Every structure is written in structure tokens, then in C-alpha cells.
Amino acid sequence: MRDDNSSLLDREFAKFMAGRSMLPMEKKKLFEGIVCRLSESLAAGDSCLSLDRSEQDVVLDSNLAGDGSGVSPLCLFGGRLYLQRTFQYEQRLAWQVQEMVEDPAVLPVDESLLDALFETSLGETDWQRYAAVQALGKRFLIISGGPGTGKTTVVVNILALLQAACGGQIKVALAAPTGKAAMRLQESVSSSRERLRLAGVSDEGIPDRAFTIHRLLGVKHHSPFFRHTAARPLGYDVVVIDEASMVDLALMSKLVDALRPGSRLILLGDKDQLASVESGTVLADMIRALPDNTVELQHSYRFNEGIRNFAAVINGGEAGLAWSVLAADEPANVTLLHGDVAEYGGSIYSQYMKAVVAATGLEEYGKLFESFNAFKILCAVRHGPSGVHGVNGAVERYLTENGYDCPAGSWYRGRPVMITRNEYGLDLYNGDIGLCLPDPVKPDVLKIWFKKPDGGLQGLLPARLCNCETVYALTIHKSQGAEFGEVLVVLPEKHTVVVSRELLYTAVTRARGSVRVKAERTVFDAAVTGKITRSSGLVELLVSEGKRLEK
């Protein structure tokens, strides 16, 4: 067995399964090692484990693996070993998506409305316009593209076209994997709705609120199941999911399972960003398997050229060129940080703390969120001096040394915190950020203030928040779905397997205005050249389901 990478849970699970196999002792050990590797792979984000012919024979002889049609705890399919539950998620998702692909439900395109929504351009393809036309001819569509390519803008236009084609009778749901991403989607849709009204296009039927996927499906407390399933489907004709690269296999399967028959699903996402924390690379797999149902937007409307080019070099795996961009003086907004992280970050956060001291009312508190989100330190890891915990502590010490009382682990004026676990009773979600500020009515009482979907503020006493942490710095994973004016990307002193090209690309593309990177050359090079690969059978299952339905 691979004890070097396996956890106690991996080993004990493998021992438990081997003890229930029908194998002789020498094969039990081989089987135990295979199951331990499967458990390790699932923990690493794979949905299955590829086996050679001899390993497949051992698994089949164990009497614990079937072909997915029975109730065996393991499934061996296409040379890949699964847990039965994971295989069912993958197989059912492939079947249901292909059913949607084969039943396009074409709607008429209002050409005059299409022209009003999209400016005609000569000599180049208008990919946003093309995506809109495709959406009216398909029940399942993926719109992929990097930050600033207008994914939210085009989906609002699509919803206007769908409403026009259906006489304004369709019900639409907007959702994203996290509370932070849902709020950002909601803000983007609201601004796009305003643009429609200014252009004289009706925004009727386009929702003004976005949900987390969990909230959309209906969470059952202390249960992995949701209220909405195939037996009790969602009551929407169109479901739009933003930041779809963050959605894992199990959640995507449950989402598609809960769709009403005949409804449409539109997925928005960046295939080059980090995959989900849990198993699978679902969005990337579906893009590979279903090119006819995918539109990739090409032009970035938000990024300045320096950040866009730097992100493209990282995405291309060109480590030497990427480092030379950082080390050069041009562009000025993409640079290396040669000084101390806490000193640089603390000096910027000092301006935020200065605004905190001056703020006395809710209107000023709202502006503090803008000040705080203008800059963010993004760390690749949680632990160590270059991790989230170390950097947050160092920034608090810097602020304290410069006149602001910021004791670690205490509630103090200006302390920013992030929710680390969904708090459904408080309407707070993993990733939501709050600021600790005095109650304007009772200045001696500190509350943590959160922005509500309607733009107002909600204040809660610290004792009501059980799952939160200081967030001058946050992990790159937690930053997905957000954007900031400037980001400082901090890589660890030594390379680890979690530091990859996708991680660095995601961090860099969180910035609107400028990027600084604190890293050793060897660690940076390893990150740019290290691409995440996950084992999955979803592509093959989607293709095989498509061939089966064509017959």
C-alpha cells in the first residue's frame, strides 16, 4: 500500500473492504492496496482510479465490485474503479445531459431584438451574439470564457430573447456555487438589466436575485440530499449557473436531476480556472465531450492588456516568459514584490483602517466594503509563514505597531472576517465577508456587518458567528467568484502539489487593475508548469451516451 500518501481513513477503509472480500490472503493485500489508492484518489479530487488488467482481475475476484447495475460497494467500468455512489453520479449525469442535448427544443429568434442587443461587427465573429442564437436552439449550453469576456452580459441578453420567444411566460433561476459568487452574479445581472432598460428592451421576467445552488435545491439539514429531486423537480423553465467550474460531480448530478422535464440549463464558467474542491472536473469534461453545445467567448472587455497577457502566458505553461514579465519594468501593473508581504499589505490596509476610524454611520459602512475589497492578499496555502494564517497574523501585528489595536483572535474595530461554513439560519454562506464595526445606535457595541442582496447591511453580534476567520488574506480557492482592484499573490517558500498553473491563473485573474507576486523563482516555475490532472470517466460516458441515443 502507498502509506506515504494515504491517511488513516484511507488505510482503515481499505482494510475494512479487504476483510469482507472473498480473496485468499496474498490477494487480499493486493486488493487492500488498490482500495487504499482509490480512497486516496477520491480525496485528491479524482472520481475513479484506472487499473491495469491484473488489478481488474483482483477486484473482480473480490466479489465486491459490479458493473454499476447492482448494489456492490465498488464498480469496475471501462478499466476504471469507482465507489458505486460516484459511478452512479457520473453515469446519471452523462445520461441526463445527453438527453437534453438530443432534445434541443428550438425557439424562434427575434432578429430585430437580436440586432438591438448585439451590435453587428464586420470582419470578425461576434461570439456573444453566436452564443445567444445557440441558446435559443439548445436546451443545454455551456458559455465559457475568461474573466471580463461578458458571460453575465450575454446571459441577460439570452434571457431577454427567451422571454420574447415565449411571450414572457418563462420562469428563470440564477444560481452559483457560493454565496459570494451568487451575490456577484446578482450584481452583474442587475447592472445588465439597467442596460436593457436604457436600450428600450424589456427586462421583465429576468430575476433580480441569485441563489447558491444549495439554496436553490433546498438544503436538508444534516443530510447530503436536497428537497428538489427528479421526483420533486424545480419549478423553473431556465436555470443559469455561474462559476460552473467550481461545481463538483455530486452537486452537478443532483442539480441536473432536479431540473423540470423540458427545461433549459445554461452553464457559465472559465475552463482554465481551478476545478471544484470535491471530485471531478465536470465543466472541463463537458466542454471536451460536447463541443457543439459549447461557445467560448474570446474578447475580454474588462482586463487591461498587461494582466490579460500575463494570464495567457501562465495558461500556456510558459514559465520563463511569465517570470520575465514579472521581473521587467513593463507593464507596471504586473510586478514582483521584493519586500515583506505584511509590510506591503499592512500599508495598504492602514488606509482601510483609517477609513474605519472615521466611519460613523451605515452609509459610510457600505463604502468601507468598497475600500476593503480594493485590495486582497491571495495565498496558495493555509499554513506556514506564507499561508493565510501566517499572513493574517503578520498584518494584524503590522497594524497594531502602526497605531491600530488589532489583537489576533479578538473582535476589534475594523476586523474583516469570512464565513467558513454555511449559516442558513442567518442567511450567511461560506465565503461571505463581514466587517466588525460599532453599532451606530450603540457605539460601545461591536457588530459584524454583512452586505445583503438588496445592497443594505445586516449587523450581527459576534457571539452569533461560530464559523468565521480573519481575512486580510484568503486562499486562492476561496477567492473564486470574486474580483478585486489589486491582488498580491503569495506562493509558499517551497513547492507543493497544490500550487499549480490553474491556481496561479485563478489568482491573477481576480485582479481588475494590478497584480503583484511574492514568490521564489523555482516555486513560480513549478506552479506555471504544473497542471492539475484528475481521473474521470465523464467524457467517455458522455460520448458513449451520445452514440447510444443516435442509434
Side-chain angles (χ1 to χ4, degrees):
M1 289 198 307
R2 290 167 49 195
D3 290 337
D4 54 329
N5 292 323
S6 59
S7 68
L8 178 61
L9 180 62
D10 297 328
R11 296 192 295 272
E12 289 300 319
F13 173 66
K15 188 184 297 183
F16 173 83
M17 294 293 287
R20 281 148 183 77
S21 71
M22 306 294 291
L23 295 166
M25 186 54 66
E26 65 274 10
K27 284 193 173 182
K28 275 186 188 291
K29 284 295 180 185
L30 291 173
F31 180 68
E32 187 176 336
I34 292 169
V35 175
C36 188
R37 284 164 47 208
L38 173 63
S39 186
E40 293 168 18
S41 297
L42 294 174
D46 296 333
S47 58
C48 55
L49 176 69
S50 295
L51 301 180
D52 61 31
R53 185 67 257 179
S54 63
E55 290 172 328
Q56 293 176 46
D57 291 340
V58 171
V59 170
L60 289 172
D61 291 342
S62 72
N63 289 328
L64 294 176
D67 61 0
S69 59
V71 293
S72 302
L74 301 176
C75 171
L76 188 62
F77 188 90
R80 297 181 295 271
L81 181 64
Y82 295 83
L83 289 181
Q84 178 71 235
R85 179 183 61 182
T86 308
F87 178 72
Q88 293 299 328
Y89 285 144
E90 202 166 86
Q91 186 183 55
R92 187 164 177 80
L93 177 61
W95 171 69
Q96 290 176 313
V97 167
Q98 278 293 1
E99 286 281 331
M100 296 176 74
V101 168
E102 294 299 318
D103 178 26
V106 178
L107 292 172
V109 179
D110 184 332
E111 293 291 342
S112 61
L113 179 57
L114 189 68
D115 289 339
L117 292 170
F118 300 95
E119 295 181 5
T120 56
S121 56
L122 300 176
E124 62 180 50
T125 303
D126 185 338
W127 291 105
Q128 288 196 349
R129 184 187 180 104
Y130 176 74
V133 174
Q134 292 297 299
L136 268 73
K138 301 180 187 296
R139 284 184 53 211
F140 178 81
L141 183 68
I142 300 171
I143 301 177
S144 179
T149 50
K151 296 185 291 293
T152 307
T153 300
V154 73
V155 85
V156 169
N157 289 354
I158 287 170
L159 296 178
L161 286 163
L162 287 171
Q163 291 288 2
C166 298
Q169 298 300 309
I170 61 172
K171 291 185 66 178
V172 178
L174 304 174
T178 67
K180 179 168 67 264
M183 183 171 287
R184 185 158 167 249
L185 171 62
Q186 184 172 302
E187 291 168 351
S188 297
V189 168
S190 294
S191 62
S192 295
R193 288 182 62 180
E194 179 64 25
R195 178 184 48 77
L196 288 183
R197 289 193 290 268
L198 291 173
V201 177
S202 172
D203 66 339
E204 187 177 352
I206 299 175
D208 57 7
R209 184 170 185 187
F211 304 92
T212 63
I213 298 175
H214 286 77
R215 189 74 170 220
L216 177 71
L217 295 178
V219 172
K220 288 184 175 181
H221 294 296
H222 310 298
S223 170
F225 303 105
F226 295 102
R227 288 196 294 274
H228 289 289
T229 62
R232 188 187 176 190
L234 294 163
Y236 297 100
D237 303 293
V238 181
V239 175
V240 177
I241 304 296
D242 196 15
E243 299 291 350
S245 64
M246 299 168 65
V247 184
D248 62 77
L249 174 63
L251 185 57
M252 186 67 80
S253 181
K254 292 173 183 178
L255 170 68
V256 174
D257 203 39
L259 294 176
R260 187 162 70 184
S263 62
R264 281 172 151 78
L265 177 62
I266 301 174
L267 302 179
L268 311 177
D270 184 349
K271 69 180 188 306
D272 298 316
Q273 276 191 191
L274 281 166
S276 61
V277 175
E278 303 297 333
S279 63
T281 51
V282 180
L283 183 71
D285 286 348
M286 290 195 292
I287 288 173
R288 284 177 56 201
L290 303 168
D292 292 341
N293 290 75
T294 301
V295 178
E296 183 160 4
L297 305 181
Q298 308 287 335
H299 180 70
S300 177
Y301 298 90
R302 188 184 78 210
F303 272 4
N304 64 57
E305 190 174 351
I307 297 176
R308 182 173 66 247
N309 292 343
F310 184 50
V313 171
I314 291 171
N315 204 26
E318 301 176 79
L321 182 54
W323 184 263
S324 67
V325 170
L326 284 175
D329 293 331
E330 294 292 338
N333 64 333
V334 179
T335 59
L336 274 171
L337 176 67
H338 297 286
D340 181 71
V341 169
E343 184 175 343
Y344 180 78
S347 66
I348 295 179
Y349 282 127
S350 291
Q351 300 304 308
Y352 156 72
M353 293 299 291
K354 183 178 180 181
V356 166
V357 172
T360 58
L362 292 183
E363 184 176 347
E364 293 164 301
Y365 286 3
K367 294 177 181 178
L368 288 177
F369 281 88
E370 298 176 18
S371 174
F372 180 71
N373 286 323
F375 170 75
K376 195 63 71 244
I377 303 172
L378 304 182
C379 300
V381 296
R382 292 188 62 80
H383 303 288
S386 296
V388 165
H389 296 319
V391 172
N392 276 319
V395 169
E396 286 181 320
R397 288 192 295 273
Y398 177 92
L399 292 173
T400 299
E401 291 167 0
N402 285 269
Y404 302 100
D405 188 17
C406 304
S410 300
W411 291 106
Y412 55 83
R413 188 171 184 172
R415 180 188 175 191
V417 296
M418 173 179 280
I419 299 298
T420 57
R421 185 176 178 180
N422 293 339
E423 298 279 3
Y424 297 105
L426 301 175
D427 202 23
L428 294 175
Y429 299 92
N430 190 351
D432 286 352
I433 289 178
L435 304 179
C436 183
L437 301 163
D439 186 330
V441 180
K442 300 178 180 179
D444 292 336
V445 177
L446 289 175
K447 287 186 175 181
I448 298 84
W449 299 87
F450 295 88
K451 269 199 167 183
K452 295 191 295 186
D454 62 3
L457 295 179
Q458 172 189 18
L460 299 170
L461 292 171
R464 301 190 67 186
L465 300 182
C466 301
N467 302 287
C468 63
E469 61 186 21
T470 303
V471 70
Y472 295 105
L474 71 158
T475 62
I476 296 169
H477 274 92
K478 288 285 190 180
S479 74
Q480 284 185 273
E483 62 176 49
F484 312 99
E486 176 185 350
V487 300
L488 169 57
V489 184
V490 182
L491 301 185
E493 296 82 358
K494 295 181 180 180
H495 179 66
T496 70
V497 292
V498 301
V499 182
S500 65
R501 182 187 310 172
E502 293 86 351
L503 191 81
L504 190 55
Y505 170 84
T506 300
V508 167
T509 54
R510 297 309 90 206
R512 291 190 305 270
S514 61
V515 174
R516 290 181 187 268
V517 178
K518 178 67 174 180
E520 296 296 327
R521 172 71 186 270
T522 54
V523 176
F524 181 85
D525 286 356
V528 176
T529 56
K531 190 168 176 62
I532 293 174
T533 56
R534 287 184 172 179
S535 182
S536 162
L538 184 58
V539 172
E540 290 82 354
L541 284 168
L542 282 165
V543 171
S544 63
E545 278 296 322
K547 291 179 179 178
R548 182 184 66 81
L549 291 171
E550 287 174 0
K551 292 180 180 179

